[in-house]
Amino acid sequence: MSGEAELLLELKHRVGSCIDEAESKLHSLSQDIWSCPELAYEERKAHDKLVKFFSQEDGWRVDSHFKLETAFRASWVVGGREQEDVVNVGFLCEYDALPTIGHACGHNLIAEVGAAAALGLKAALETTKGLPVRVQVTVLGTPAEEHGGGKIDMLREGAFEGLDVVFMAHPSKEDAVYLPCVAEHDVTIKYQGKASHAASYPWEGINALDAAVLCYNNMSVLRQQMKPDWRVHGIIKHGGVKPNIIPAYTELEYYLRTLSCKDLPVLKKAERCFRSAAMATSCEVEVEFARNTFDNILRNTTLEELYQRNGKALGMDFTIDEDVLKNESGSTDFGNVTFVIPGIHPYFYIGSKALNHTEEYTVAAGDARAQFFTLRSAKALAMTALDLLLCPELLQRVKQEFTEAKRKENRI
Ligand SMILES: NCCC[C@H](NC(=O)CCN)C(=O)O
């Protein structure tokens, strides 16, 4: 084995042992977040916990409320000379929860993975003499993945500037280096009608619930003409207050998803469904498209292969089930990040076959059994970062693939 390969192996061991040593504080970090679920843009306690966590670690510069009220940044620099270019490696922490069912997507574990990977990488690098490059490790706390898209806000604010590569990992029911993450645009539709006594003077009313029901049915009809991989799903958030009051106001929320942003003109067809329901019922309608569009994930197979190799060495059993590998896993605002900086968003098993966005998954995400798998994913991410830092040609390859992939998508 060459001296470089030996060093890399030794540093990877160091990643593993550092993360194992920090097991108890990492577990309590994710437990604290899990036991106090907070919604998008309101993750104040999670923000404070994470800021405190990094402030108590040696050597981190911590910026609380970084660009967004509930976002933060922690960074640490090592090696090289001050005037040299820095290779800046990012790890992302998510920590928002879902309404009523808490951490049913396990974002408490995403926060833990980001924190653990950063600690592990730092521990390995600070023992290394003669690093070939100057390195910055950056942790970004990115709020509001489940609603709104905090990463997209942060990209707009320049929070990702200077990063060379960015990592995160998402809990799931299996280990998978990539699952299709699709583009998404969210929309709120509000119908305004007129109340009236539903038995005495129904002819005086304008029924906003009828508009909402027609809207829902129009969308279901549209679904028949959509491509098989498109998804539209909605809820009626307000449907009236009492059967004997003709509903004067109703509100729906729809998520519209396609494989890539190129197909999102389905929005135009959806808009006709929303507006025609208003016309049929004489309601007024407001159609509010969300300010952020979630992009699909731009894959980077060089990074994926490195992560998979490290994961396998740690005992991960990556799924080969084609049904799983081809199935959509929803959307993420990390997609937008991957069009700006090369990155990966692998999925990791947490010791349960429960499905995300269910109460069973909330239980699994808070279970101590998830810890081994969460920390294993963090180790694989930090080891992948080490591969890039110790072999600059690999980082070059990652960047080259990124540029080519963007060109193929006409995004340069
Ligand atoms: N409106 C944003 C919803 C994002 C949400 N994300 C996930 O479930 C994470 C896994 N990809 C979604 O519904 O896709």
Side-chain angles (χ1 to χ4, degrees):
M1 195 186 281
S2 72
E4 274 165 24
E6 246 173 62
L7 175 65
L8 183 59
L9 203 59
E10 190 187 310
L11 294 183
K12 287 186 178 182
H13 278 303
R14 181 78 193 113
V15 163
S17 52
C18 160
I19 292 179
D20 288 338
E21 280 159 26
E23 187 184 346
S24 143
K25 62 184 172 189
L26 288 163
H27 186 193
S28 71
L29 177 69
S30 75
Q31 274 297 301
D32 285 347
I33 297 172
W34 181 83
S35 56
C36 182
E38 297 167 297
L39 298 182
Y41 298 112
E42 294 170 11
E43 314 93 327
R44 293 181 191 90
K45 293 200 173 86
H47 163 276
D48 293 351
K49 285 271 164 227
L50 282 150
V51 163
K52 188 170 171 201
F53 180 90
F54 279 101
S55 304
Q56 287 175 344
E57 291 293 317
D58 280 344
W60 293 91
R61 177 205 151 126
V62 184
D63 301 295
S64 56
H65 312 293
F66 179 65
K67 308 286 186 189
L68 294 180
E69 191 200 340
T70 55
F72 73 92
R73 179 176 67 180
S75 49
W76 173 81
V77 183
V78 69
R81 283 186 303 266
E82 280 220 4
Q83 60 278 22
E84 270 176 359
D85 284 347
V86 175
V87 178
N88 193 343
V89 177
F91 296 102
L92 305 190
C93 297
E94 290 177 4
Y95 32 84
D96 60 326
L98 287 154
T100 74
I101 52 174
H103 275 291
C105 210
H107 291 190
N108 59 311
L109 302 177
I110 300 182
E112 184 178 351
V113 166
L119 292 195
L121 182 60
K122 173 177 179 280
L125 295 177
E126 65 195 355
T127 60
T128 317
K129 293 203 176 55
L131 270 177
V133 283
R134 186 163 166 78
V135 179
Q136 177 164 337
V137 181
T138 300
V139 183
L140 285 179
T142 61
E145 192 277 337
E146 288 292 354
H147 176 80
K151 295 182 195 66
I152 308 170
D153 300 326
M154 291 175 75
L155 278 166
R156 211 179 280 125
E157 293 295 317
F160 287 82
E161 270 167 24
L163 282 162
D164 289 280
V165 62
V166 64
F167 296 101
M168 63 173 288
H170 197 296
S172 183
K173 64 177 172 39
E174 60 271 304
D175 288 317
V177 75
Y178 168 79
L179 295 175
C181 263
V182 296
E184 175 184 347
H185 205 117
D186 300 348
V187 55
T188 299
I189 310 107
K190 296 174 178 174
Y191 293 106
Q192 190 66 58
K194 189 170 149 230
S196 180
H197 194 298
S200 306
Y201 332 103
W203 50 85
E204 294 293 338
I206 297 177
N207 195 324
L209 180 58
D210 283 345
V213 170
L214 284 179
C215 167
Y216 193 88
N217 289 336
N218 287 347
M219 289 298 282
S220 301
V221 170
L222 172 62
R223 203 175 274 122
Q224 297 177 80
Q225 269 66 56
M226 294 188 330
K227 289 189 185 167
D229 43 35
W230 293 2
R231 299 278 187 275
V232 297
H233 30 253
I235 54 162
I236 299 180
K237 283 181 87 174
H238 297 286
V241 289
K242 212 174 185 303
N244 61 0
I245 307 172
I246 294 210
Y249 177 77
T250 55
E251 191 176 316
L252 298 96
E253 194 176 355
Y254 262 90
Y255 290 177
L256 312 172
R257 310 195 203 228
T258 56
L259 277 194
S260 88
C261 280
K262 279 182 257 167
D263 282 327
L264 274 178
V266 67
L267 293 178
K268 283 276 157 254
K269 291 186 179 181
E271 191 169 351
R272 286 196 277 274
C273 294
F274 309 148
R275 293 197 184 280
S276 58
M279 190 189 279
T281 53
S282 304
C283 285
E284 299 293 322
V285 62
E286 268 177 61
V287 178
E288 289 172 4
F289 286 103
R291 76 170 174 275
N292 291 329
T293 301
F294 284 38
D295 244 312
N296 53 295
I297 281 189
L298 188 69
R299 297 184 68 174
N300 193 295
T301 57
T302 310
L303 282 178
E304 287 176 10
E305 280 162 20
L306 291 171
Y307 176 83
Q308 190 153 18
R309 205 175 307 152
N310 286 309
K312 278 186 178 165
L314 291 163
M316 282 187 198
D317 183 16
F318 290 94
T319 184
I320 50 165
D321 182 338
E322 282 298 311
D323 287 342
V324 173
L325 291 170
K326 290 209 171 96
N327 192 36
E328 290 176 22
S329 68
S331 311
T332 168
D333 53 1
F334 187 76
N336 302 59
V337 176
T338 62
F339 279 88
V340 180
I341 305 154
I344 44 166
H345 180 280
Y347 288 85
F348 62 96
Y349 175 66
I350 62 167
S352 162
K353 281 287 164 199
L355 302 177
N356 294 61
H357 290 209
T358 64
E359 285 176 2
E360 292 74 23
Y361 207 83
T362 305
V363 172
D367 194 308
R369 248 181 313 174
Q371 285 308 299
F372 167 78
F373 304 103
T374 302
L375 297 184
R376 184 168 69 176
S377 176
K379 290 173 192 173
L381 288 183
M383 289 175 180
T384 305
L386 275 177
D387 285 325
L388 302 179
L389 294 171
L390 271 82
C391 180
E393 298 77 46
L394 273 179
L395 182 57
Q396 261 333 97
R397 203 191 303 163
V398 165
K399 290 187 174 184
Q400 222 168 333
E401 182 181 341
F402 168 70
T403 308
E404 277 159 24
K406 275 208 329 186
R407 191 168 296 126
K408 270 195 203 138
E409 295 260 336
N410 285 325
R411 296 287 291 267
I412 286 195

